[in-house]
Amino acid sequence: MIDLYYWTTPNGHKITIFLEEAGLKYNIIPINIGKGEQFKPDFLAVAPNNRIPAIVDHAPAGGGKPISVFESGAILVYLADKTGKFIGKDLRSRSETLEWLFWQMGGLGPMAGQNNHFSAYAPEKIPYAIDRYRNEVNRLFGVMNKRLADRGYLGGDYSIADMACYPWVLPWERQGQNIEDFPHLKRWLETIKARPAVVKAYEWTPKINPGAGGIRTAEERAILFGQTAKSIAEATAGKQ
Ligand SMILES: N[C@@H](CCC(=O)N[C@@H](CS)C(=O)NCC(=O)O)C(=O)O
């Protein structure tokens, strides 16, 4: 059994997609990041970065005590290695999967996150920041579109690289993009959207976070934005 510390956000969806695709048994532990549950000591013990997702594998390969993993990319690699699924098997194809996985982790995810922040959440609408990140996401969509022009998936066969990118492409409208400008990316998006495991992964959202749709209240904003080392230390102390 795998414990998944989860919230209904793109980085959370990556892992439910994998777990559903691989047919692994898992137990969801909701971490409501709008309520500050990411600062609870039990969670920080497995996820020192106070961000979801994280997992604890109670039956690691080779036995022994449970293994905890934080960072969605590390979790996907861990689970792919554990199951032998959704990652290239030989040196060349494994490297290809990892290349696109790390491309997501270092590029698409952070840029789309900032794009969302400055266009939807920043109290001050700063055109330079909005343009900067919307353009960068546009460029990255173009990179994927080109990559997908002559192949079905980003990193070889359907893999953890696709699972990592999909939740960030799905909200393309919110990202200020027009999917019609990226026909190969659109075909890839529709193909993945139709996968039964992906449908099941997204069914957690209404169950766990009914009315999900972003950060709504002043309290949520105060918890999520403007975190510093000091504010985290205070929030953590308050939870002990
Ligand atoms: N690089 C991290 C990013 C994780 C991340 O940003 N998680 C967000 C939700 S998508 C979170 O937990 N936010 C809580 C907070 O900002 O306090 C990963 O890929 O796991």
Side-chain angles (χ1 to χ4, degrees):
M1 182 64 96
I2 288 174
D3 286 337
L4 170 62
Y5 294 81
Y6 164 89
W7 196 239
T8 58
T9 66
N11 289 311
H13 298 314
K14 292 175 186 175
I15 313 304
T16 47
I17 291 175
F18 186 99
L19 292 165
E20 290 293 341
E21 290 283 10
L24 287 173
K25 278 202 177 141
Y26 64 102
N27 168 41
I28 290 222
I29 301 170
I31 300 292
N32 187 336
I33 60 173
K35 287 205 159 55
E37 292 176 0
Q38 66 272 42
F39 307 122
K40 286 186 174 170
D42 287 0
F43 177 62
L44 290 172
V46 296
N49 193 36
N50 67 268
R51 299 276 189 274
I52 66 94
I55 61 163
V56 175
D57 181 0
H58 292 278
K65 54 183 183 151
I67 291 181
S68 67
V69 189
F70 72 100
E71 278 293 319
S72 60
I75 297 169
L76 288 171
V77 173
Y78 177 86
L79 293 173
D81 285 346
K82 177 183 172 75
T83 56
K85 288 180 178 164
F86 306 115
I87 190 164
K89 300 225 180 331
D90 57 78
L91 177 67
R92 284 165 207 278
S93 61
R94 181 180 170 92
S95 165
E96 218 178 351
T97 308
L98 293 180
E99 176 170 61
W100 285 92
L101 175 69
F102 280 82
W103 177 87
Q104 189 289 321
M105 295 301 303
L108 181 64
M111 294 302 133
Q114 295 302 324
N115 189 25
N116 201 26
H117 182 84
F118 283 107
S119 63
Y121 296 136
E124 213 185 315
K125 295 292 169 234
I126 307 163
Y128 182 87
I130 293 170
D131 290 349
R132 156 91 187 137
Y133 291 110
R134 194 184 42 226
N135 288 345
E136 184 59 3
V137 171
N138 187 269
R139 186 186 72 79
L140 294 166
F141 273 31
V143 172
M144 281 187 283
N145 191 56
K146 196 167 169 203
R147 171 76 178 169
L148 292 165
D150 61 354
R151 69 196 75 219
Y153 298 103
L154 291 166
D157 294 336
Y158 176 60
S159 75
I160 52 175
D162 302 293
M163 296 177 200
C165 291
Y166 173 80
W168 291 101
V169 177
L170 184 65
W172 52 268
E173 265 181 294
R174 194 177 167 85
Q175 288 291 329
Q177 310 300 325
N178 181 3
I179 200 72
E180 302 302 330
D181 295 341
F182 305 101
H184 309 299
L185 185 62
K186 182 180 176 191
R187 185 249 313 137
W188 170 91
L189 184 72
E190 298 304 331
T191 305
I192 297 179
K193 198 190 274 180
R195 293 180 70 89
V198 174
V199 173
K200 276 195 87 181
Y202 277 80
E203 283 171 359
W204 284 109
T205 299
K207 283 188 223 155
I208 288 191
N209 186 13
I215 292 123
R216 292 170 297 269
T217 66
E219 192 202 355
E220 286 174 330
R221 300 178 70 87
I223 288 168
L224 286 164
F225 305 144
Q227 293 175 3
T228 61
K230 189 163 174 258
S231 77
I232 300 291
E234 285 163 3
T236 310
K239 295 276 192 302
Q240 276 165 350

